[in-house]
Amino acid sequence: MVEVALFNIKDMSLFLSGVLALALACLLFFSRQEPIKPIYWCLVALFFFLGTLCTIDTLLYWNIHVRDALAVVLMCVSLIVVYLLKNANHFSTIETEHSAAPEPSPEEPQQQLVEKLTEFMQHNKPYLEPHITVERLAIKLNVSPKLLSCTINSKMQMNFFELISTYRVAEAKKRLADAELRQKPISEIMKSCGFNSKSVFNQAFKKTVGVTPSLYRQQHLPE
């Protein structure tokens, strides 16, 4: 009696595991709205097949060794499928090798680009190049000129030329107030800071600082 009871319990558990396999396979199939990768289609098909075999095997009383093998395989596959169902919301983030990464949201890369741009300007000083352009700076930063220009406009509230001029004026202020450069003509300091035109330099400097370059030097390097 005990053996018969144990046999029936085993058959019943195997039957229920087969039904559960079918239910999980259907749940995996209907739980996704986006296209599923081929490997998951194969897994669903295999899981459905094993569940069907397991259920039929219990109903028809196939060889006990066949049932044991099916039970082991079904248990392993069940663990995989349960994990996939639990993490179903991550399916869309799984990418095939060499596939292009999805375009990130506009806010995040622009904020990162501002930080990258600020650090690059401070350490590499590309604004000292007289003929720097947004295209050349974009190449240095490994981004598109359009993204760089849009980021400067939207995040820094200025255009590219105003940004370059701001850094050049700040550099000119430091050099004009440097005692070691006292004898160096303002025109040379202007050129060393990236300005090509004296009128543009004077206008940008006075707009930012409030005084002319010569007056600024006098204020910081009195005779």
Side-chain angles (χ1 to χ4, degrees), residues 54-66:
C54 191
T55 304
I56 295 176
D57 171 43
T58 305
L59 293 175
L60 298 182
Y61 293 96
W62 286 0
N63 186 282
I64 187 64
H65 299 294
V66 175

Side-chain angles (χ1 to χ4, degrees), residues 48-88:
F48 186 85
F49 177 72
L50 288 175
T52 304
L53 279 184
C54 191
T55 304
I56 295 176
D57 171 43
T58 305
L59 293 175
L60 298 182
Y61 293 96
W62 286 0
N63 186 282
I64 187 64
H65 299 294
V66 175
R67 292 203 301 272
D68 290 341
L70 279 174
V72 173
V73 175
L74 188 59
M75 183 180 299
C76 296
V77 180
S78 297
L79 293 175
I80 298 175
V81 173
V82 170
Y83 172 80
L84 293 175
L85 287 172
K86 184 178 179 181
N87 298 274

